[in-house]
Each structure stands twice: as C-alpha cells, then as structure tokens.
Amino acid sequence: MKNRVIVIFCLVYASLLAALMTASIFVSEITGWDPSAEGIGNLMSIIAFGIAVLLSTSRPLHVMLGDSSASLHFQKRLKSRRWSLVVGIVISTTAINLASDGLFSWQATGEVMVPSLLRIVVLSVVYCIAGRVIIGESVERMRYA
C-alpha cells in the first residue's frame, strides 16, 4: 500500500506540475506577464501537492486499482504508515520540484539553475507539515465516513 500511495502521488503531482508549467508558459507568451515572478507558482504547486496527497490516499482510487480491503482496514493501514508515507512523499516532492524547476529555468533562460539549499529545505519542511496534516485529516475523515 505504501508504495502504491507514493507512486500515485508522484504521477498525479508530476502531471499537475507539468500542466501548471505549461499554463504558465502559455500565459507568459500571450500576455507577457510571468506568473512565477509573483509567487503564484509556489502557491499553485502547494495546491497541486494537496490535491495529489488527497488523491493518493483516497480509498475509492485504491479500490479502482485493485485493493479490496475494507474501509476500516484501509484506514488502519494508512494510519499506521502515516510517517513513512510523509517521508516518501516529501522526498518525492523535493525530487519532482527540483526537476520541474530545472526544466522551467532551462526553458526560460536556456540554462539550468538549481534553487538554493535554503529554499529546498524550507519547502521540504512546509511539504512535510502539509503532508502530515493532510494525511492525518484523511484518516480522521475516513473514521467518520
């Protein structure tokens, strides 16, 4: 289950970031306004992160992919693996963000610019806290559903 959640997360998050990068490039080319310069890119990537975590921890999605466990069993497995899921998701998020930032900077300037170590650490901490809260709330939501 843990690997499936992380793989689903990676696929959804990378797809959403690719769509956001494409939309940002499109808006930039048409209007001349760079949404990433305003910090909107960071906000949109955090929203994409939340959507990807919610989808990857969604029981109906896992049922569609062949997981036949009962709702209570799925909730217990998710709750018991909460911290390892957060760590896996944060590592995946950091890798995907580094790759997308590198591609975006290469497309914009012609060279790959690596973000500062401080930015990487701060975003990893933010994603860790957000992932823990979202997964915790997903488990609680399942308990009352």
Side-chain angles (χ1 to χ4, degrees):
M1 176 196 166
K2 181 174 64 172
N3 292 336
R4 181 184 300 190
V5 168
I6 293 172
V7 167
I8 292 170
F9 170 80
C10 288
L11 292 173
V12 171
Y13 186 63
S15 299
L16 288 173
L17 279 185
L20 287 172
M21 185 183 347
T22 303
S24 176
I25 292 169
F26 183 70
V27 167
S28 167
E29 292 291 324
I30 298 255
T31 64
W33 175 63
D34 185 13
S36 62
E38 302 292 327
I40 293 174
N42 290 333
L43 175 66
M44 296 307 280
S45 67
I46 290 174
I47 291 171
F49 174 81
I51 291 169
V53 171
L54 285 174
L55 282 175
S56 66
T57 58
S58 166
R59 184 174 176 272
L61 183 63
H62 285 268
V63 169
M64 278 185 357
L65 295 173
D67 186 3
S68 61
S69 62
S71 178
L72 187 59
H73 183 62
F74 183 81
Q75 176 198 1
K76 284 182 182 180
R77 287 190 306 169
L78 192 60
K79 188 175 183 178
S80 68
R81 292 175 175 91
R82 191 175 355 196
W83 281 109
S84 61
L85 286 173
V86 168
V87 169
I89 286 173
V90 167
I91 290 171
S92 302
T93 302
T94 304
I96 292 169
N97 280 341
L98 285 174
S100 68
D101 286 348
L103 283 173
F104 192 71
S105 68
W106 174 70
Q107 189 278 333
T109 63
E111 62 183 57
V112 176
M113 296 168 36
V114 179
S116 71
L117 184 59
L118 178 63
R119 181 173 188 259
I120 293 169
V121 169
V122 168
L123 281 177
S124 295
V125 169
V126 168
Y127 284 125
C128 185
I129 293 169
R132 173 65 174 91
V133 168
I134 292 169
I135 291 173
E137 288 300 315
S138 293
V139 169
E140 290 300 314
R141 187 183 68 235
M142 282 181 223
R143 189 169 97 182
Y144 295 113

